[in-house]
Amino acid sequence: MPYSYSCKDFPGMEKCRGSFAAETEVELWKHIELHAREAHEEDPAKWSPDDRNGVKGIIRYTR
Ligand SMILES: [Zn+2]
């Protein structure tokens, strides 16, 4: 699956071992948001555009 994300790449999350992969970026975002909610007790609905850009910047795409 081409899109992947490692939570530890996000500043401040170095200790988190969560990582996800998906076929599409939309699906990957669902994994990321669910993980943020369950593992970090965050509310993705409250993420600012900057927060989302930070996440987007560390999403990897590999063929
Ligand atoms: Zn995490």
Side-chain angles (χ1 to χ4, degrees):
M1 293 188 280
Y3 290 92
S4 63
Y5 178 85
S6 290
C7 197
K8 65 176 164 50
D9 293 340
F10 196 86
M13 297 293 181
E14 288 81 3
K15 289 188 178 136
C16 183
R17 301 183 68 178
S19 74
F20 316 96
E23 278 300 329
T24 66
E25 194 176 336
V26 170
E27 188 190 342
L28 184 63
W29 273 98
K30 290 182 182 165
H31 289 294
I32 294 167
E33 292 186 3
L34 183 66
H35 171 78
R37 203 174 291 142
E38 297 298 322
H40 302 297
E41 296 181 341
E42 288 190 26
D43 182 358
K46 292 181 181 156
W47 288 352
S48 68
D50 272 0
D51 292 336
R52 287 180 178 273
N53 272 333
V55 171
K56 198 173 171 65
I58 56 179
I59 289 176
R60 273 173 288 188
Y61 179 76
T62 42
R63 266 190 186 278

